[in-house]
Amino acid sequence: MSVFDDPGHFGRLWADTYDQPGGLPDPAPAVEFLAELVGDGPALELAIGTGRVALPLAARGITVAGVEASPEMVARMRAKPGGQGIPVAIGDMADVPVTGQYTLVYLVFNTLFNLVRAQRQADCFGNVARVLAPGGAFVIETFVPDPADFDRDEQVQIREVTEDSATIRLHKYDRAAQTFLRQTITFHSAGVHLHPFAMRYMWPEQIDELAGRAGLRLAERYADWDRSSFGPDSTSHISVYRLG
């Protein structure tokens, strides 16, 4: 199955290294922001992964559930303190395969863009609207695309060179579809290792249009989890959508 159509691909490939130090931002600001919104909950994290955000939220006494396509990622979460207590539906986050109503649904760290088909991104917003409680919030965190990052259809980067191995990263962009395929290739004496990854990026106003078609409206937007003002030079955004 193509990486463009396999929701569990990322987790199977990266579960063992996802939590390595230095690879991910500190979740504390996100946890603080989300805790203020959710109140007593319940909250639902789409693409819960290894519990980087969900576990500290649950440790505050908030009821948290998750959706995750990768059983490997969930197994990593289960091995952490508190990880056994969070219910997780294994499935595609675009389907939001849960029932009930949630005060907060959230999707962080650019993961919306891991849905590489435009229709699946639309499905995600529609299904979130289905499970949101009245007055509930859908929070997403994504980067703001910079056209300078994909001014060419292809890019090649040298990532690491040692006496025993070499790692290069290649990007192939489809600017009309707003997608890219990234391949990280490591050449080693033991062989060649491929690590493919794909995204479909969107600008904030495009996400607002997608939300609007699902019956959600933009209520708040910030440049970061500390609620800094969002402006033309912001490289990321935290957006809060509500029904109606």
Side-chain angles (χ1 to χ4, degrees), residues 201-217:
Y201 52 88
M202 289 188 289
W203 278 267
E205 57 270 22
Q206 292 178 312
I207 301 174
D208 295 347
E209 291 174 7
L210 196 65
R213 292 199 295 271
L216 298 163
R217 60 176 176 80

Side-chain angles (χ1 to χ4, degrees), residues 158-236:
I158 297 173
R159 301 291 292 178
E160 183 180 47
V161 177
T162 71
E163 292 182 358
D164 301 313
S165 68
T167 300
I168 62 172
R169 179 168 286 177
L170 302 95
H171 286 81
K172 174 80 173 176
Y173 287 93
D174 183 337
R175 284 172 284 184
Q178 297 179 197
T179 63
F180 68 80
L181 176 62
R182 185 182 78 197
Q183 185 67 265
T184 304
I185 308 172
T186 299
F187 302 91
H188 193 273
S189 59
V192 178
H193 301 278
L194 304 178
H195 296 271
F197 178 70
M199 273 189 166
R200 181 178 188 270
Y201 52 88
M202 289 188 289
W203 278 267
E205 57 270 22
Q206 292 178 312
I207 301 174
D208 295 347
E209 291 174 7
L210 196 65
R213 292 199 295 271
L216 298 163
R217 60 176 176 80
L218 179 67
E220 304 169 52
R221 172 165 288 147
Y222 305 100
D224 53 41
W225 293 111
D226 294 322
R227 290 183 168 83
S228 301
S229 296
F230 180 82
D233 297 325
S234 299
T235 58
S236 63

Side-chain angles (χ1 to χ4, degrees), residues 7 54 57 60 71 74 80 93 102 126-127 129 141 143 155 168 172 175 186 205 208 211 216 226 234 242:
L57 265 182
R60 292 173 172 236
V74 177
K80 298 178 182 180
M93 65 179 177
Y102 294 87
N127 285 312
E141 173 194 18
F143 64 83
Q155 295 180 9
I168 62 172
K172 174 80 173 176
R175 284 172 284 184
T186 299
E205 57 270 22
D208 295 347
L216 298 163
D226 294 322
S234 299
R242 296 187 183 274

